[in-house]
Amino acid sequence: GENVEQHPSTLSVQEGDSAVIKCTYSDSASNYFPWYKQELGKGPQLIIDIRSNVGEKKDQRIAVTLNKTAKHFSLHITETQPEDSAVYFCAAFANAGGTSYGKLTFGQGTILTVHP
Amino acid sequence: GAGVSQTPSNKVTEKGKYVELRCDPISGHTALYWYRQSLGQGPEFLIYFQGTGAADDSGLPNDRFFAVRPEGSVSTLKIQRTERGDSAVYLCASSLIGGRTDTQYFGPGTRLTVL
């Protein structure tokens, strides 16, 4: 099955700096890669996603890059703000054996702390 | 509109007891997923429903775990003879059709504590 590794496990930055979180995946059939933000006591919330036919996607201060050959993808947050502090999860979606459905496999999470 | 809701938000039970966790997906979403999140870890897939049927239950850890979605909307995750190792946050997510183009929207989770 799919295995997703995420690094670093914790990341501390000063407000205004950039933050980068990296993930690798094992299943070359994975074709959709969402990133979720989880705040304390809440469920994960989608912040950005990328599909396997695209190399990069940007949404304001957040960008995601995908390298299918190397099987890794990264989240970039620029001009970080204290409210960006949360746990961030990457995930990979793979279809189940020729079907149109599949499941997400999550990384272990990165605790991001942005200091004012 | 309303998001995914889960009840109860917290459940404390004793070892050996039976528990039911409920998920109300976003209206009109045909796909529903259950995940389990242990402390400091990412969510782990348990089961996926497409409509009323369980399309993939490969993540259920053993036969003490069972889930139903009888009318294709609300789902209930049932855990028999609970063990301390079942303590975790149980997350539910729904998506429109369940394919790879779908966004999965998560509920706030139910925190289960088995004493």
Side-chain angles (χ1 to χ4, degrees):
Chain A
E2 174 68 280
N3 182 50
V4 178
E5 296 287 334
Q6 181 172 348
H7 299 279
S9 56
T10 61
L11 181 58
S12 183
V13 300
Q14 288 296 127
E15 183 176 1
D17 288 350
S18 295
V20 180
I21 303 170
K22 299 182 179 182
C23 289
T24 60
Y25 62 98
S26 61
D27 187 350
S28 57
S30 288
N31 50 29
Y32 170 61
F33 306 91
W35 286 87
Y36 284 86
K37 176 183 180 182
Q38 188 173 29
E39 297 175 325
L40 200 61
K42 298 184 179 180
Q45 180 181 14
L46 180 76
I47 55 171
I48 196 167
D49 57 16
I50 191 166
R51 291 176 170 81
S52 58
N53 58 345
V54 176
E56 183 174 359
K57 182 177 178 180
K58 188 173 182 180
D59 183 4
Q60 298 182 2
R61 296 187 297 110
I62 297 173
V64 59
T65 58
L66 171 65
N67 183 327
K68 285 185 62 180
T69 303
K71 297 200 193 78
H72 68 69
F73 55 115
S74 301
L75 177 71
H76 304 252
I77 306 174
T78 59
E79 301 171 23
T80 54
Q81 301 166 2
E83 49 266 39
D84 294 329
S85 297
V87 182
Y88 290 80
F89 292 98
C90 63
F93 181 98
N95 289 82
T99 69
S100 62
Y101 61 84
K103 61 189 179 188
L104 288 174
T105 301
F106 283 82
Q108 299 87 344
T110 296
I111 302 172
L112 174 64
T113 304
V114 180
H115 299 281
Chain B
V4 178
S5 61
Q6 293 186 245
T7 54
S9 55
N10 281 283
K11 177 70 176 178
V12 180
T13 190
E14 294 180 341
K15 181 176 178 295
K17 299 290 188 181
Y18 168 84
V19 296
E20 290 189 352
L21 312 178
R22 176 187 168 109
C23 172
D24 281 86
I26 294 172
S27 178
H29 280 195
T30 62
L32 185 146
Y33 305 79
W34 283 99
Y35 293 85
R36 179 166 72 174
Q37 186 174 27
S38 299
L39 192 63
Q41 300 295 316
E44 292 182 298
F45 170 82
L46 295 177
I47 187 169
Y48 159 59
F49 285 90
Q50 184 59 51
T52 60
D56 184 351
D57 64 357
S58 61
L60 295 177
N62 51 60
D63 60 6
R64 295 187 298 105
F65 288 75
F66 188 71
V68 295
R69 194 185 185 200
E71 297 179 357
S73 178
V74 171
S75 177
T76 305
L77 179 64
K78 308 180 180 190
I79 310 174
Q80 298 177 322
R81 305 183 303 280
T82 51
E83 300 177 357
R84 293 194 179 88
D86 299 335
S87 296
V89 175
Y90 289 82
L91 294 164
C92 176
S94 71
S95 70
L96 191 57
I97 58 173
R100 71 179 182 94
T101 57
D102 267 3
T103 296
Q104 292 187 26
Y105 297 91
F106 282 80
T110 293
R111 180 175 298 278
L112 175 66
T113 303
V114 181
L115 300 176

